[in-house]
């Protein structure tokens, strides 16, 4: 069965003046002539995005859609009215966000994180900014320390809510952020904590002993590259540390503490030095 609002691999069954006929074995749809790739022949398989056009016909496109049904995505508003807003999906059909699906009025020229879904009545793609309706909140299949893909969804008083692996939602706390982030950013993140209630706390840095080992190796390489001295130490400003290494001061202190105990560096308040055979 051809799935609307997503990618399908279909067989080329014929052609006419309007383009190629594509089929899943039961249903045929059209790929317009302007989008037919060169050297495509009858019986070839072709991967296309399928949607319902303005005329109500199910058609295919070889253009790259910015998102598909079931995705959370950050999309630009290209038009807005009392009835709703239209978002750029990267294909010849914009996606509609009805007013009732907007948490706040959407404005042309702005971009928002939305969830794409299929209207069961007419099989048209729609989107919503009411994200929590589409989040999985029970039986969260995550563990502390997991590396995850994040889409920054909104800023709150506590920090930034982020969509996790296109399924869950979690929180990055303001006081634990050592990098500038904004709504719509895509980042690698790590699960820091999962509460009894199932709420997920996130970090932009790896958690646990493995991270300390990686950070130690990074610092040693940096010391060797810079002649055995780095002007950062135990009392250096957290922002200076992050600007240089993109890690928190806490992670930096754990790593240099380990290197100091191993007698690999000389540590002072504002400097670390590599211990060499000569020294």
């Amino acid at each position: 069965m051809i799935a609307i609002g997503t990618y399908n691999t279909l067989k080329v069954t014929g052609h006419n003046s309007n383009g190629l006929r594509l089929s899943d074995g039961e249903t045929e749809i059209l790929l317009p002539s302007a989008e037919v790739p060169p050297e495509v022949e009858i019986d070839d398989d072709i991967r296309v995005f399928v949607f319902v056009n303005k005329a109500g016909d199910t058609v295919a496109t070889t253009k790259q859609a910015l998102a598909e049904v079931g995705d959370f995505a950050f999309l630009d508003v290209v038009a807005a009215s009392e009835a709703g807003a239209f978002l750029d999906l990267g294909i010849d059909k914009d996606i509609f966000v009805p007013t009732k699906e907007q948490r706040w009025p959407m404005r042309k020229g702005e971009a928002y994180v939305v969830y794409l879904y299929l209207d069961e009545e007419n099989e048209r793609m729609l989107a919503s900014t009411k994200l929590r309706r589409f989040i999985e909140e029970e039986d969260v299949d995550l563990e502390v320390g997991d590396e995850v893909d994040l889409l920054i969804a909104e800023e709150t008083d506590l920090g930034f809510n982020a969509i996790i692996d296109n399924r869950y939602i979690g929180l990055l706390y303001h006081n634990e952020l050592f990098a500038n982030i904004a709504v719509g950013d895509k980042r690698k993140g790590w699960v820091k904590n999962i509460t009894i209630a199932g709420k997920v706390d996130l970090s932009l840095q790896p958690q646990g002993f493995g991270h300390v080992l990686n950070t130690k190796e990074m610092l040693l390489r940096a010391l060797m590259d810079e002649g055995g001295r780095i002007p950062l130490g135990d009392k250096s400003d957290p922002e200076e540390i992050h600007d240089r290494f993109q890690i928190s001061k806490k992670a930096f202190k754990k790593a240099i503490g380990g290197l100091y105990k191993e007698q690999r560096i000389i540590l002072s308040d504002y400097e670390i030095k590599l211990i060499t055979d000569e020294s």
Side-chain angles (χ1 to χ4, degrees), residues 5 10 16 22 29 70 79 84 95 97 105 126 131 134-135 148 159 168 174 182 187 191 211 222 241 248 265:
L10 304 176
N16 56 36
L22 309 179
I29 62 173
I95 189 164
V97 187
L126 297 176
L131 307 182
F134 307 98
I135 293 294
V148 291
Y168 313 114
H174 277 307
R187 297 291 185 102
V191 177
H211 179 43
I241 293 169
S248 68
I265 63 169

Side-chain angles (χ1 to χ4, degrees), residues 17-37:
S17 59
N18 295 319
L20 293 182
R21 296 196 305 272
L22 309 179
S23 175
D24 64 344
E26 297 180 5
T27 305
E28 282 193 343
I29 62 173
L30 178 72
L31 175 65
S33 299
E35 297 192 33
V36 175

